[in-house]
Amino acid sequence: SVGTTCLFYYFAQRDKLPGHQLPHDPEKKTLVILGSGWGATSVLKTLETDDYNVIVISPKNYFLFTPLLPSVAVGTLNPRSIIQPTRYVTRHKKRQVAVIEASATEVDPIAKTVKFEDTSEIQGLVSNTTISYDYLVFAVGAEVQTFNIPGVREHACFMKELEDAEKMQRHFLDCLESAAFPGQSQEEINRLLHMVVVGGGPTGIEVSGEIHDFLEEDLRSWYPELANSVHITLVEALPSVLPMFSKQLIEYTESTFKEQNIDILTKTMVKEIKEKSVVLQKPDKTIVEIPCGLVIWAAGNKLRKVTQDLMGKLPQYQTNRRGITVDDHLRMVGTDGSIFAVGDCAATSYAATAQVASQQGSYLARILVQIAKKDALEAQLHALESAPVTEEREAEKHNIEKQLKKVENLRPFKYSHQGSLAYIGSDKAIADFPFFNGNLATGGVATYLFWRSAYISTLFSLRNRTLVATDWIKVKLFGRDVSR
Ligand code: NAD
């Protein structure tokens, strides 16, 4: 009958609710995932969404493949090639996942709620709402650390989000075109074409290497009269760049930069950034002001406000200034086990890298399956306990308790470091591998080829791999696009 068909259709569609409704099966717990970066996407990719009502909340409705961001900044890659819509990850899941483009502004770990707001740039509307969760995956990442140094926010380009790389590309090309304007003095040309990169961590090194490649591979033929005036300076406050790499690789990077005419100023701190210059404190503590056209700020990250606020709600447990303290199972210490923190917002004993976040994410997806089983068994046990005692029920109870014992033991998270890799320009990369009972340090063109293939194979989808490979071929054939 029509009624039966409708009922059948309702049940078939019950879990595949349209986008504007939240998945709600009262028999399942609600799992809210905050973020769409390395940690969150890795959870989503592996997660069995059939076990939960899954809701993803992130201000970006896509995953950004951050290691290739500097390549976007110099026009080697198209911005679209390194992003993947979050809905693309969730589209084949058994049960529909709700993906909400919004910023989480507050988490209440006692009431177990998340407040989030939709800040639509186009509509100009700001609306907010609060939802409850049973489990929360807190994977909001970090934001750029400016140390409140004057002028950083106003005048520097960051290298964190897609729009940062796009902004840097526009700004860089603007410097080139202004330098090419007829009648500019040589002094002004030198200023416009002086690129200052702040921070000698992997981001600063990779950006410098990419700018150098752009100069050598394209600008020499597109702007022959200007190419010799382009000058790159890398500023680092510590005594050396790339402290996480071995001494040998640091030296290799320094000598490669020397060949590439990139100046490295160590023990030098940026004190202020002005519209047309950067103020530096030299190792002897004297202050100099150096004219420049573009400053790229790659001086590290700090916790987001929503993370600091959440930690502030559990002050006796959350005292680590680097991030959320978690236990061996990535559960936020001080909560009842309902909040998991992964990626750059969590404090661990390893560097905050994409590799760590992605391993934490896939670990979490696996233990969430186990937790769902445990919760289901506990609910069954609870139901049996409130029913009258019979021999049959006692046997059933015994059986459930046995199964519970098996799923209760969660395997702790263990990070397996696969090595650190950084591109340093001129088709060279450096890599520190933790194999062979120690560190195997390699650098050079072979490492670079490995770097490319490693990156392209870790890009999440075939779609992105195709897009990136096509961009690389296009650049080899036609050069980078210098139009703005
Ligand atoms: P970082 O924190 O590793 O490096 C920032 C550097 O900026 C520091 O060395 C710091 O001393 C310097 N600095 C800070 N303030 C300064 C100032 N005022 N003047 C001069 N120098 C200043 O930052 P990052 O490179 O963006 O990396 C962030 C995280 O991401 C790290 O954990 C890193 O390992 C990871 N990462 C890894 C890769 C890779 O493995 N290829 C690439 C990018 C980022």
Side-chain angles (χ1 to χ4, degrees):
S1 75
V2 175
T4 320
T5 313
C6 285
L7 212 58
F8 175 78
Y9 184 76
Y10 167 74
F11 279 111
Q13 293 299 311
R14 188 183 63 171
D15 292 344
K16 297 213 161 209
L17 294 166
H20 63 277
Q21 287 174 30
L22 298 177
H24 183 71
D25 177 342
E27 306 224 319
K28 294 180 201 289
K29 300 232 165 167
T30 297
L31 172 70
V32 175
I33 300 175
L34 299 186
S36 58
W38 282 93
T41 305
S42 176
V43 174
L44 264 179
K45 222 186 143 208
T46 324
L47 187 70
E48 191 40 82
T49 56
D50 208 19
D51 293 332
Y52 295 95
N53 297 309
V54 185
I55 301 166
V56 184
I57 301 170
S58 175
K60 304 267 155 45
N61 71 352
Y62 57 80
F63 164 73
L64 168 68
F65 191 82
T66 44
L68 290 174
L69 203 53
S71 301
V72 170
V74 296
T76 311
L77 296 179
N78 186 318
R80 299 269 133 200
S81 304
I82 64 163
I83 63 174
Q84 175 173 257
T86 300
R87 284 186 171 81
Y88 193 88
V89 182
T90 61
R91 74 198 189 288
H92 292 316
K93 296 287 180 190
K94 257 199 235 156
R95 256 189 106 222
Q96 196 188 323
V97 170
V99 180
I100 306 172
E101 192 191 71
S103 293
T105 51
E106 197 185 336
V107 173
D108 185 334
I110 312 295
K112 297 193 189 173
T113 56
V114 187
K115 184 175 174 190
F116 54 95
E117 64 181 30
D118 166 27
T119 43
S120 166
E121 292 155 30
I122 295 166
Q123 310 299 325
L125 300 171
V126 178
S127 43
N128 63 58
T129 185
T130 301
I131 57 167
S132 298
Y133 64 82
D134 295 300
Y135 294 107
L136 179 73
V137 175
F138 196 81
V140 302
E143 64 181 35
V144 173
Q145 170 67 281
T146 66
F147 303 100
N148 289 326
I149 294 175
V152 174
R153 218 161 262 291
E154 298 80 356
H155 305 301
C157 287
F158 299 154
M159 196 47 59
K160 183 92 175 75
E161 305 292 347
L162 196 60
E163 51 272 24
D164 299 333
E166 291 175 298
K167 179 181 163 192
M168 183 195 131
Q169 194 197 17
R170 275 197 311 277
H171 200 133
F172 185 75
L173 294 174
D174 187 50
C175 287
L176 276 169
E177 293 300 349
S178 295
F181 191 83
Q184 295 278 26
S185 68
Q186 189 56 43
E187 195 187 352
E188 182 62 356
I189 292 174
N190 290 345
R191 179 190 75 77
L192 283 163
L193 300 182
H194 184 202
M195 313 294 160
V196 176
V197 179
V198 187
T203 308
I205 293 288
E206 288 184 338
V207 170
S208 309
E210 293 274 2
I211 300 177
H212 163 268
D213 288 0
F214 186 21
L215 170 67
E216 289 307 320
E217 292 165 16
D218 298 289
L219 299 182
R220 280 209 185 283
S221 43
W222 295 92
Y223 299 84
E225 70 291 359
L226 294 178
N228 284 336
S229 305
V230 178
H231 180 201
I232 308 163
T233 303
L234 181 88
V235 183
E236 169 55 56
L238 298 175
S240 125
V241 295
L242 296 176
M244 65 291 281
F245 283 86
S246 68
K247 195 165 170 279
Q248 181 202 347
L249 289 177
I250 293 174
E251 280 166 11
Y252 182 76
T253 307
E254 284 170 349
S255 70
T256 306
F257 270 32
K258 204 167 187 177
E259 284 165 26
Q260 294 175 159
N261 283 324
I262 301 174
D263 282 339
I264 302 182
L265 305 179
T266 51
K267 296 188 196 158
T268 305
M269 265 185 84
V270 170
K271 288 291 189 186
E272 186 178 352
I273 299 177
K274 297 186 180 173
E275 202 186 339
K276 296 180 176 181
S277 65
V278 55
V279 179
L280 305 178
Q281 178 181 290
K282 298 208 297 185
D284 61 6
K285 304 274 184 255
T286 53
I287 301 285
V288 286
E289 187 168 340
I290 298 179
C292 59
L294 174 64
V295 180
I296 297 126
W297 187 259
N301 300 324
K302 66 168 185 181
L303 296 178
R304 290 187 195 280
K305 186 173 177 295
V306 63
T307 311
Q308 289 170 5
D309 290 350
L310 171 58
M311 290 170 69
K313 288 183 176 157
L314 302 162
Q316 61 278 47
Y317 302 99
Q318 295 292 331
T319 49
N320 191 331
R321 287 176 51 198
R322 286 192 306 112
I324 296 175
T325 305
V326 291
D327 67 8
D328 286 350
H329 304 99
L330 307 180
R331 293 177 292 214
M332 182 175 187
V333 174
T335 65
D336 61 352
S338 53
I339 300 184
F340 298 89
V342 296
D344 290 4
C345 58
T348 55
S349 45
Y350 345 100
T353 61
Q355 204 181 132
V356 172
S358 118
Q359 285 186 26
Q360 287 177 329
S362 43
Y363 162 82
L364 200 52
R366 286 193 301 272
I367 68 159
L368 279 164
V369 173
Q370 212 176 324
I371 290 171
K373 275 195 193 124
K374 180 174 136 286
D375 289 345
L377 287 169
E378 275 173 357
Q380 282 177 32
L381 199 61
H382 186 72
L384 281 176
E385 272 163 359
S386 40
V389 182
T390 64
E391 211 171 289
E392 203 180 313
R393 281 204 190 100
E394 278 304 300
E396 206 178 327
K397 240 174 86 177
H398 186 65
N399 183 23
I400 293 175
E401 277 161 354
K402 247 172 68 188
Q403 290 182 50
L404 251 173
K405 275 221 169 67
K406 273 194 210 153
V407 291
E408 256 165 5
N409 266 338
L410 298 176
R411 194 171 50 84
F413 171 71
K414 217 168 155 274
Y415 172 57
S416 144
H417 185 60
Q418 303 295 304
S420 308
L421 218 54
Y423 181 64
I424 59 172
S426 305
D427 287 355
K428 289 178 185 168
I430 51 167
D432 253 337
F433 295 115
F435 313 132
F436 307 111
N437 284 335
N439 277 342
L440 171 71
T442 73
V445 179
T447 311
Y448 168 71
L449 292 175
F450 172 77
W451 173 83
R452 281 219 154 164
S453 51
Y455 270 10
I456 207 150
S457 63
T458 52
L459 263 181
F460 281 158
S461 66
L462 178 64
R463 170 183 166 273
N464 286 99
R465 279 179 220 150
T466 313
L467 293 173
V468 168
T470 314
D471 286 349
W472 278 338
I473 294 167
K474 273 199 295 202
V475 163
K476 279 276 169 259
L477 292 178
F478 310 114
R480 292 168 179 82
D481 189 352
V482 291
S483 49
R484 294 206 289 137

